[in-house]
Amino acid sequence: MRIALEPRGPTEKRNPLLYGLAGLAAGFALSILLGALTPVGVTGVARALYVNLSEPRFWLLSLPYFAPIAASAAGLALAYRAGFITIGSEGQVILGAVVAYGLLYFMLSQLHPVLALAVAMAAAALAGALYGLVVGALRVYLGANETLVSLMLNYIAVALVNYLVAGPWQSGPFTRTEPLPDRFWISGLASAIVTTVFIVLLEALYVYTRLGIAVDSISRARRAAETYGVDPGRAILVVAALAGAAAGLGGGLYMAAEQHQLLSLGKQGLGYGYMGILAAWLAGLRPAATIAAGLLITLLYNMFVSLQLQGIPASFVLAFEAVIVLSVLASTTLSRYRVVIRHG
Amino acid sequence: MVDVTAILLQGTPEATVLALAALGELVLERAGLINLGLEGMLYFGSALAAYVAVSTGSLVAGFAAGMLAGILLALVYILLVVGLKADQAVTGLALVFLGIGLGDVIGSATQGALAPALSGLGESLVMFTVLILLPAILYIILYRSWHGYTLRSLGEDEDAARMLGVNVTATRILAVLVAGAAAGTAGAFFLMGPSNGRWSAGRAIGWGWLALGTVILGYWHPVGVVAAAYLLGVLYAVTPLLQELGMHAALADAVPYIVVVAALTVISWMYERVGVKPPAAVWRR
């Protein structure tokens, strides 16, 4: 007897949303079971999860993380559709935060807050786009693997922050900068709204412009792309810049809404860019769907606060997110296949 | 005066960590898969190795636990990617998160207790095995045996391999298991070699990603991979030296990564001209 998966025909595909929700439920159940490994046990983790998802207070607290995670995810969705497997949103988020902080603190402090913030966010997006273009250009013109190059650029961005907070921008004995003046602080809700608007714009670009056709065709149907007159190199440069801009903007918003100052990053970076990758795939690589996927990852991420208070390593939440993503991934994949049992 | 010999030797333990994980990943990628989860496997490997080595006091048990940790995550990968045909990139990335998350929970249970560390001789023995013996054996298997031929054919064209009579599923499962075991063992070596048995949260972060880069930098060839790992190890050893020369510590940290980008750019350009190609299923343009 052999068990095999066969692709379903176009007419017999199951509703991926339904399968996705079932996967989500199974993922939650599984990841709560993982709580058995922690000092608080299954019930402790279940309680932390319940509190985080049921109390509006926690939704509000988690909103500042939405910008870097969901914005990265929306940009990456386009990049991955084009077969451009970058993992550079982490570095771009960090660079966006650095640029936004630098401009707001050192150059625009006399300007009207709204104007200064607008300029700083645009510059953060631009910085992210340029950083993304470096990866795109090396891939398109020199054939360098974008996954590795973007990863290296992440570490370079981390090193830049560590240098700034321990060098020219350091304030006081600790490795961090002065906080931004509070007239430049925005609420988590405001940052989430700006992010959502930006994601909707990306979705519109994907649905209503030639870019959508280009990104969908160059990785999966080269010949179709050529028939449409799509230039693959150019399309990759565009998505590299767009994904970078999205992540950079997310970083700028995160700086204004939550962090307000630069802190030493150690080796790890912030991690939001990597969560953005999870959110992008969780959203089925559809920019608009990253709003929901980003919100889910954000809410889960915020759980770390309550877990930490109970003495569980904060990164346990990473395992939690991973199990949920894997479970949704398995279930949505199953919606496209049929399980066949062959005898003999 | 800079002691060149010392620098050339200093990075060898780190190069061994990278080479071991990267050689495993090489096998997997030659079989036409890609596993971004190396980081999680290595991290989980070092954590489980720490937990078991601390509680048993045994070096061997620590290494076995590290290997087991890598295999456990490899089994998840097999279930999803080989079994359910789920997307490899997402599965791999989720494994990164899973490995780091579980690793921190399990590793923190050691509460700072020291695991037994490898002696100088033991460390040299592992380094020799990984940097000299392993690539030689792998080269013979991959390029001089029928099994290696069938494995590589999977990385070029799955359908053609099937025509050759290759059992695609079995070969891929084996390749993933090898990659997981290698990454987990690399994590265990990282703990009991360069880290002298001390586990702390976040210490093993980043090595798995670097190992993934090592495969690309070594252009999917056992000898290239070990050379790339060695280059990265030396760069790692040079970083403190740059600080002595007056470079800011944080900026010196960035130098290895800049060198990798430059090296990769030159190498990709060069190899394409010579005609050396990565497995088509993994990296096509």
Side-chain angles (χ1 to χ4, degrees):
Chain A
M1 189 184 83
R2 260 186 75 222
I3 301 172
L5 289 181
E6 283 185 0
R8 290 180 197 271
T11 50
E12 41 173 25
K13 275 196 182 135
R14 296 291 185 266
N15 185 350
L17 189 66
L18 220 58
Y19 272 71
L21 288 176
L24 198 62
F28 270 113
L30 264 176
S31 45
I32 289 170
L33 288 180
L34 270 188
L37 290 173
T38 68
V40 295
V42 177
T43 47
V45 170
R47 196 176 303 121
L49 185 70
Y50 176 73
V51 167
N52 264 273
L53 294 182
S54 62
E55 283 190 30
R57 187 163 61 93
F58 285 102
W59 285 64
L60 280 176
L61 278 176
S62 62
L63 278 181
Y65 308 114
F66 177 75
I69 295 174
S72 301
L76 288 171
L78 290 180
Y80 292 161
R81 276 180 180 271
F84 182 68
I85 310 297
T86 168
I87 45 180
S89 40
E90 175 72 17
Q92 291 148 1
V93 166
I94 293 172
L95 201 66
V98 169
V99 167
Y101 177 85
L103 280 177
L104 288 173
Y105 191 81
F106 293 106
M107 296 175 72
L108 304 174
S109 51
Q110 305 305 321
L111 230 55
H112 187 274
V114 176
L115 189 60
L117 279 166
V119 173
M121 294 312 128
L126 185 67
L130 290 176
Y131 216 45
L133 269 179
V134 173
V135 184
L138 284 176
R139 150 85 193 260
V140 170
Y141 298 116
L142 293 167
N145 183 303
E146 72 270 18
T147 311
L148 179 57
V149 171
S150 57
L151 175 67
M152 295 296 118
L153 292 192
N154 290 349
Y155 286 118
I156 293 171
V158 169
L160 174 71
V161 171
N162 288 343
Y163 166 67
L164 289 173
V165 298
W169 291 5
Q170 185 176 13
S171 141
F174 300 108
T175 49
R176 60 175 167 219
T177 62
E178 283 287 316
L180 287 173
D182 56 9
R183 63 176 182 285
F184 292 138
W185 294 17
I186 61 173
S187 68
L189 190 62
S191 79
I193 290 172
V194 175
T195 309
T196 309
V197 170
F198 187 83
I199 293 175
V200 170
L201 285 177
L202 279 182
E203 170 77 12
L205 266 182
Y206 172 65
V207 178
Y208 296 113
T209 71
R210 278 171 60 90
L211 182 72
I213 297 171
V215 298
D216 275 345
S217 59
I218 57 174
S219 70
R220 273 179 276 176
R222 240 334 140 89
R223 194 168 296 169
E226 282 159 10
T227 314
Y228 280 117
V230 171
D231 175 358
R234 207 174 130 236
I236 285 179
L237 289 177
V238 171
V239 291
L242 276 178
L249 175 68
L253 288 169
Y254 175 67
M255 176 52 69
E258 175 73 13
Q259 215 179 14
H260 309 309
Q261 63 184 161
L262 286 174
L263 304 163
S264 170
L265 291 177
K267 263 163 75 182
Q268 307 199 34
L270 292 166
Y272 305 129
Y274 295 122
M275 289 181 199
I277 306 178
L278 283 188
W281 289 99
L282 199 57
L285 299 187
R286 189 67 194 246
T290 59
I291 298 173
L295 195 61
L296 175 68
I297 297 275
T298 304
L299 282 168
L300 291 176
Y301 176 71
N302 195 49
M303 250 178 77
F304 90 96
V305 181
S306 32
L307 286 181
Q308 255 179 330
L309 293 177
Q310 298 170 46
I312 302 173
S315 39
F316 178 66
V317 146
L318 297 181
F320 207 99
E321 286 181 352
V323 170
I324 288 174
V325 169
L326 287 173
S327 171
V328 171
L329 183 67
S331 61
T332 47
T333 309
L334 273 179
S335 74
R336 285 184 283 122
Y337 291 93
R338 188 173 32 177
V339 182
V340 181
I341 299 173
R342 291 203 191 90
H343 297 279
Chain B
M1 184 58 199
V2 177
D3 187 349
V4 179
T5 328
I7 291 177
L8 290 181
L9 285 178
Q10 229 167 27
T12 331
E14 281 78 15
T16 307
V17 176
L18 292 178
L20 184 53
L23 286 172
E25 176 77 10
L26 165 76
V27 172
L28 176 145
E29 294 195 13
R30 277 288 170 197
L33 298 169
I34 184 153
N35 165 33
L36 297 182
L38 212 51
E39 169 84 0
M41 292 175 169
L42 198 151
Y43 195 87
F44 189 39
S46 87
L48 197 63
Y51 181 76
V52 171
V54 164
S55 37
T56 60
S58 156
L59 209 60
V60 178
F63 268 102
M67 188 187 282
L68 180 73
I71 289 178
L72 279 177
L73 291 189
L75 287 175
V76 178
Y77 185 91
I78 288 170
L79 176 71
L80 273 121
V81 173
V82 183
L84 292 176
K85 301 181 185 169
D87 188 276
Q88 307 182 30
V90 202
T91 308
L93 199 76
L95 285 183
V96 173
F97 285 70
L98 189 62
I100 294 177
L102 290 180
D104 272 351
V105 172
I106 289 170
S108 63
T110 61
Q111 294 172 335
L114 271 184
L118 277 167
S119 64
L121 179 70
E123 205 174 316
S124 307
L125 208 64
V126 176
M127 293 192 295
F128 176 76
T129 312
V130 171
L131 294 176
I132 311 281
L133 284 185
L134 207 56
I137 295 170
L138 203 57
Y139 175 80
I140 293 171
I141 294 177
L142 280 178
Y143 292 90
R144 292 284 178 267
S145 81
W146 173 250
H147 290 293
Y149 181 67
T150 54
L151 183 95
R152 284 188 299 125
S153 70
L154 260 182
E156 302 301 331
D157 188 332
E158 189 182 324
D159 289 330
R162 204 168 268 132
M163 293 299 167
L164 275 177
V166 178
N167 185 339
V168 176
T169 311
T171 312
R172 287 203 163 142
I173 288 177
L174 189 66
V176 178
L177 287 176
V178 167
T185 313
F189 176 72
F190 180 76
L191 172 84
M192 292 181 280
S195 306
N196 291 317
R198 183 179 301 280
W199 190 89
S200 65
R203 188 173 199 144
I205 287 264
W207 289 96
W209 286 121
L210 272 182
L212 197 68
T214 308
V215 181
I216 304 170
L217 198 58
Y219 240 66
W220 294 270
H221 191 284
V223 179
V225 162
V226 170
Y230 182 69
L231 170 77
L232 290 169
V234 170
L235 281 172
Y236 182 79
V238 162
T239 315
L241 200 76
L242 291 173
Q243 289 178 42
E244 280 173 31
L245 293 173
M247 193 182 231
H248 194 283
L251 284 184
D253 279 346
V255 170
Y257 306 118
I258 297 172
V259 174
V260 170
V261 172
L264 179 75
T265 311
V266 175
I267 285 174
S268 325
W269 183 83
M270 215 167 63
Y271 279 178
E272 295 289 321
R273 297 229 159 5
V274 186
V276 179
K277 283 201 164 53
V282 173
W283 182 238
R284 71 194 142 72
R285 278 186 297 131

